[in-house]
Amino acid sequence: MKTKYEQDLFQIVGYNDDASDTIVRPNITYWQDAWRRLKKNKIAMFSMCILAVIILSCIFIPIFSQVDYTNQSIENANQLPSSSHWFGLDELGRDIFVRIWIGGRVSILIGFIGTAISFVIGMLYGGISGYLGGVVDDVMMRIVEVLVG
C-alpha cells in the first residue's frame, strides 16, 4: 500500500541559497592534517619528546662534559658513582655516563642508516613492482611474503 504525501504537510526549514555554496572548513594540506592528527595522539607526542631528549642528550652531553670519554686512569678504576662521575668509572678508569651517551650516538646513527637503506630498497622494489605489474608484481609480492613469513 503506497501512501501519497501531501505537499502542505512539509515545509523547508533553514535553507539559505547563498550559504549552501560556502566552504565551512578551510582547506589544509596533507602535512597539516598529519601534524594535526599527530598532536591529538598523546602517547605519540610523549614518545616523540622522549626520543628528542635522548637524541639531544647524545649530541650535547659528551660535548659539554668536562670528562673526555677516551681518557683512561687506571689508578681510578672501578670507582662507585659520585657527584663527578654519575655512573662511576669502569675497569680502565673511563667515565661510564659519558661513554653511554657516545654509544647512544652510534646506535642512533645505525638506526638512521638502516632506515634509509630500507627506505631506498623498498622504494625501488615497490616502484619496479608497480611499474611492471602483472606477473612480475605477483612474483615480487610472493617473495616479500616469504621474507615476511
Side-chain angles (χ1 to χ4, degrees):
M1 174 173 150
K2 291 188 175 180
T3 307
K4 186 164 181 157
Y5 295 106
E6 301 289 329
Q7 281 288 347
D8 58 341
L9 293 176
F10 298 98
Q11 62 179 339
I12 296 175
V13 178
Y15 178 74
N16 185 350
D17 194 31
D18 295 332
S20 65
D21 291 332
T22 60
I23 298 174
V24 178
R25 202 171 99 198
N27 291 334
I28 58 174
T29 65
Y30 171 78
W31 291 109
Q32 287 173 332
D33 181 50
W35 177 246
R36 182 182 53 84
R37 291 174 57 195
L38 179 65
K39 286 192 298 187
K40 287 183 182 179
N41 189 342
K42 291 184 183 355
I43 294 173
M45 290 302 292
F46 179 73
S47 299
M48 238 174 39
C49 289
I50 294 295
L51 187 60
V53 167
I54 290 172
I55 290 172
L56 291 174
S57 295
C58 286
I59 293 170
F60 292 114
I61 285 178
I63 291 172
F64 293 117
S65 174
Q66 286 116 6
V67 181
D68 184 18
Y69 71 95
T70 59
N71 284 349
Q72 297 180 9
S73 176
I74 301 295
E75 60 273 359
N76 295 327
N78 296 322
Q79 283 188 1
L80 295 175
S82 64
S83 61
S84 60
H85 304 288
W86 288 6
F87 291 172
L89 300 175
D90 66 2
E91 62 275 356
L92 296 175
R94 300 172 297 193
D95 190 314
I96 296 173
F97 181 73
V98 176
R99 291 180 64 80
I100 285 174
W101 293 112
I102 291 292
R105 284 182 180 180
V106 173
S107 297
I108 290 170
L109 181 64
I110 289 170
F112 281 133
I113 290 172
T115 302
I117 290 170
S118 176
F119 177 76
V120 169
I121 291 172
M123 289 287 287
L124 289 173
Y125 196 84
I128 292 168
S129 176
Y131 182 73
L132 297 177
V135 175
V136 175
D137 180 35
D138 288 340
V139 170
M140 290 178 82
M141 286 311 298
R142 298 305 82 80
I143 293 170
V144 170
E145 288 173 0
V146 167
L147 290 174
V148 170

